[in-house]
Structure formats: structure tokens, C-alpha cells
Amino acid sequence: MPEWKMPERKMPEWKMPERKMQERRFRLLVFDWDGTVVDSTAPIVGAVQAAYRDLGLTPPEENAVRYIIGLKLDTAFFHLSPELPEENVAALLERYRYHYMQSDAAIPLFKGISALLEKLDQEDYFLAVATGKSRMGLDRMLRQKGLMRRFHATRCADESFSKPHPEMLLYLMDRLGVTPEQTLMIGDTTHDIQMAKNARACALAVSYGAHDRDHLHKSQPLAIVDSVAALDSWLAAHG
């Protein structure tokens, strides 16, 4: 009898299903905190000026304080008053923290930012924070705002070099396995934009925080948006 063989069947070629994420330009969205997620510019300015008055020092102008928002605190005070001795800077830090904590719990999220973060999370972006706040300060606010589990990774000033050094972004990209080309830094200061450039990542500026549009424009981000709604629209079109 002729030898029997299993009939050959041509199996359909199997491919990994394509995820929508592969069509996007960015995989990782890194948010600054103060002035980008929370409306904290005025409380920070007020706390810095009050700290100077407590020590009998002339408080810096509002615009000068707005410029240093986002920097590590000791670096910020050095920029404001490079002539001050180290013990005065330590005293300023202590008084700043005292005054800032008086309003900390009342600092609001920008309108619409919580819903936007939820939407981006559901769309499978990696979400992260890179901030000039301390670890203790950021974790406290994340708990207060109910956002502790919204971000896949966070990095704070007391764990890294101060912005605009790229270390925060380099850490976050390495932690989440994302390349600079796939990373977008979203922030309200030129420090955020320059940090992104130093990390070879992209940057998007928001003009509703500490730094004004003119200064942000000079730092050459991909774009500048004027509200959380505009940020949502930009990410939907270009993210």
C-alpha cells in the first residue's frame, strides 16, 4: 500500500497585533510638577519672599522668584542671593518650608489635569514626573491629590542633580526602557526645556505656570500651549 502522509495545510501567518502606541511619536510623557500639574506659583513666590523678611532681608522681586521655580531649593536660593553665606541659605530654606507648608494642602491641581492624566494613562503612555521638589514633598502632594498610582516613575531634586542637568530624565528613560526620541518633557519653565535638550529628548512648554511665553519661546520647545485643554489637543494631534 502506498505510504500515507498527513495532508499539507498552509497555516495562516501569525503576527503580533499592532498596538496603537506604535503609531505614536512619544511613549513617555514626563511632567514637571509645580506650575505644570499644580497651580503653585503664587504660594512659592509668597513663601520665598516671606522667608527673606523673616531674616530681615530684602525680599526678591516676584519675577526673580518665578525664574528659580523648578530648581533644587538650595540652588534656587544661590541664584537669588549668591552673596549670602551658607548659614543664611540654610535659614532661608527652613523659613521657606515653614511658610510653604501653611498653604501646601490648599494648592489646587490645574483644572482638567487630573482627567487628562487619566486619559493618557488609559491610552497606555508611560507617565512620569521630574520635579525640583523633594521626595517627601512630592509624595505628600501625590497622596493629597490622589495621583500616587497615576505615574509609572518619578524623580525628585534630592535624588538627582538640579535641572537643567539631564540626570532626572536619563534616570526615567532608563527605568522605563524608553529612548530620548520617544520621550517628551512637559513643563512651565526654561529649566524643563533645557533639561530635555541636555537629555536629547523633546520638550513641550506650558505658558500657564512660572515662566512667561517670551522666555519659553527663546528656549525653543516643540510648541507652547496656553491651557490644559490646549495641552490635551496638542498631544492628541502630535503625541
Side-chain angles (χ1 to χ4, degrees):
M1 295 183 64
E3 184 180 359
W4 184 87
K5 294 183 180 180
M6 175 71 74
E8 292 186 7
R9 295 181 59 197
K10 188 173 182 180
M11 299 296 291
E13 185 179 357
W14 184 87
K15 292 183 179 180
M16 177 72 76
E18 292 187 8
R19 299 181 65 196
K20 190 176 180 181
M21 179 63 70
Q22 295 174 334
E23 301 170 2
R24 296 178 180 150
R25 179 175 181 181
F26 302 110
R27 294 189 63 208
L28 170 60
L29 305 179
V30 182
F31 288 80
D32 170 59
W33 186 259
D34 289 301
T36 303
V37 175
V38 295
D39 190 4
S40 54
T41 299
I44 290 172
V45 170
V48 168
Q49 292 177 330
Y52 273 79
R53 285 192 289 268
D54 285 353
L55 298 186
L57 301 171
T58 302
E61 296 291 332
E62 178 182 345
N63 285 341
V65 181
R66 292 173 76 97
Y67 174 78
I68 58 86
I69 291 176
L71 299 177
K72 191 175 180 180
L73 271 178
D74 54 357
T75 302
F77 280 114
F78 174 78
H79 277 283
L80 286 172
S81 303
E83 76 286 352
L84 285 180
E86 193 171 320
E87 58 269 23
N88 283 44
V89 173
L92 281 171
L93 288 169
E94 188 276 326
R95 295 313 297 165
Y96 167 80
R97 292 188 178 103
Y98 169 80
H99 289 290
Y100 181 80
M101 286 300 296
Q102 306 310 303
S103 60
D104 177 75
I107 293 173
L109 294 168
F110 282 107
K111 183 179 179 180
I113 197 72
S114 183
L116 174 59
L117 291 170
E118 181 179 3
K119 172 187 172 184
L120 296 172
D121 188 17
Q122 290 174 350
E123 291 174 351
D124 291 331
Y125 283 103
F126 287 128
L127 301 179
V129 172
T131 177
K133 300 186 82 64
S134 67
R135 169 54 59 191
M136 183 182 297
L138 177 64
D139 285 353
R140 182 179 64 251
M141 292 210 78
L142 287 171
R143 286 191 295 270
Q144 288 174 359
K145 307 307 179 188
L147 296 176
M148 184 62 80
R149 300 193 179 191
R150 183 63 69 205
F151 297 98
H152 299 89
T154 59
R155 197 67 169 170
C156 299
D158 54 355
E159 301 165 334
S160 303
F161 289 112
S162 181
K163 299 173 184 180
H165 192 285
E167 184 181 10
M168 287 189 197
L169 278 182
L170 295 176
Y171 168 86
L172 292 169
M173 291 187 293
D174 182 67
R175 174 78 180 273
L176 296 170
V178 176
T179 67
E181 295 79 13
Q182 297 170 316
T183 301
L184 179 68
M185 178 69 207
I186 302 168
D188 67 311
T189 71
T190 56
H191 314 307
D192 298 311
I193 298 165
Q194 190 57 53
M195 176 175 66
K197 291 186 175 184
N198 291 340
R200 301 185 184 279
C202 295
L204 176 67
V206 300
S207 65
Y208 53 77
H211 289 191
D212 61 39
R213 232 178 188 280
D214 288 343
H215 283 90
L216 294 170
H217 179 73
K218 289 175 184 176
S219 62
Q220 298 182 321
L222 288 178
I224 304 173
V225 296
D226 300 322
S227 66
V228 173
L231 172 59
D232 186 0
S233 296
W234 192 94
L235 290 171
H238 307 285

